[in-house]
Amino acid sequence: MRTVSGPTDHVVVIGAGLSGLATALHLLGAGRRVTVVERHAGPGGRAGRLELGGYRVDTGPTVLTMPHLADEAFAAVGDSLHRRVELVPLHPAYRARFADGSGLDVHTDGDAMEAEVRRFAGGTEAAGYRRLRRWLEKLYQAQMHRFIDTNFDSPFQLLHPDLARLAALGGFGRLDPQIARFLSDPRLRRVFSFQSLYAGVAPARALAAYAVIAYMDTVAGVWFPKGGMYALPRAMADAATDAGGEFRWSAEVSALERSMGRVRAVRLESGERIACDAVVLTPDLPVVHRLLGRAPRRPVPLRHAPSAVILHAGTDRTWPELAHHTLSFGAAWERTFDELTRTGRLMSDPSLLITRPTTHDPSLAPRGRHLHYVLAPCPNTTAGYSAGTWRGLGPRYRDSLLAELERRGLHGFETSMERELLVTPMDWAAQGLAAGTPFSVSHTFAQTGPFRPRNLVRGHDNVVLAGCGTTPGVGVPTVLVSGKLAAARITGPPRATGARRRPPVTEGQRR
């Protein structure tokens, strides 16, 4: 594995999102001096927090899977995720509701889910689910350490026996047909294939290898941190501070001072100069390229994932049919993905993710109140409406979402809202996110693994990237891995010491 050249005693990490915090913890554990520069007043980045009239709102991801990857970062400094954050396992992980009025709870426990599938669709589908679960486990085992948790220097690194294993499992076929080998009920197939939207590719066109995301969601387990998702970056920043890391909050980076192929210092808008031996850049790629002075050449321009509209709603009531996470599927499916990724239209029959974090932490809202997030995927600003168009379109789309919730049984949702915040692609673009999407570069084959933007920057001997735009990709687990991989580019592979190697969370720790 290639690493940066020259001295690396003092590393400046730009950005205190999940990837930057993971990078900082791994670097501190390897004995480096670390300064983290963050433009906001606190940690989190996209996984931030805002106060909305007594409601504590997570601004980013709402689903936590694979918490042992976060624990690896804490363990690097001799700390523990479970000492810092109380995790609640979600049972069910999701509740799925369909346009025909049917519904099922999605359990990550195999026996519970098999029983639920049998109740929902019969014994044949329950047996198919068991076979699907075993297939997902094998996919994960074939991919995680060789193709996800690894630094690529060349596509030739793909030539490994695990590649043959992945091919034998059908990982290079299409996702929809592979899921259909196990499940014939189209409603069940949706539950195990909608995750490809996270990767920015429709299930009909996504590689079956992306079913590894379904493994994380439906097999490995889903957790909720008490205090909301923001509890995770807050705890990571506290652990890094206790380990000797230095943070500069509300500090905007204006330029990188370069000489002889190396970044020698980071300059802030305030005029302060922070000398460094290496720098890790975690902002979205357009910001990175601006700081570096150029974007790398690619034979084909980068394609970005669809975006999302999010309605944050503080309400004076809730609805018992909602779980912590509820997937509300429209009747349309293939057409929905075509609208999101090809025609650039708003979903004519939307599928929605509704999250109610006050299910497991009422303290996130005033007494007797509830917090709901309604996420509606939408085209990004390249494929669909421009960022500016959303200024007028956003309020109209908000009204149509509320009408849709009413039609789907959440009667009185609009009149129950005491506080609300609508976030659209215009807002994502204003944060500097390319194509107005928080999901960054999509995971087409040409933008995955060794073909994704590398975390080593050509022409800069001591610059490393981390975050969802680089290796390995989008999502909380992969962004945490990206921080570890970025640190390894500076320190070399971590030593396998007992103090820094911790097993995944155990059942006892979950309780």
Side-chain angles (χ1 to χ4, degrees), residues 183-197:
L183 301 171
S184 60
D185 190 308
R187 298 167 300 174
L188 288 175
R189 293 205 301 268
R190 291 187 188 187
V191 169
F192 293 95
S193 63
F194 81 91
Q195 296 87 353
S196 72
L197 183 60

Side-chain angles (χ1 to χ4, degrees), residues 95-104 119-120 185 187 327 329:
R95 177 164 293 155
R97 296 170 62 84
F98 301 95
D100 63 2
S102 62
L104 86 159
R119 177 201 66 79
F120 180 77
D185 190 308
R187 298 167 300 174
L327 293 162
F329 290 106

Side-chain angles (χ1 to χ4, degrees), residues 257-264:
E257 186 179 299
R258 298 186 294 271
S259 173
M260 303 291 290
R262 297 181 70 84
V263 172
R264 307 290 179 174

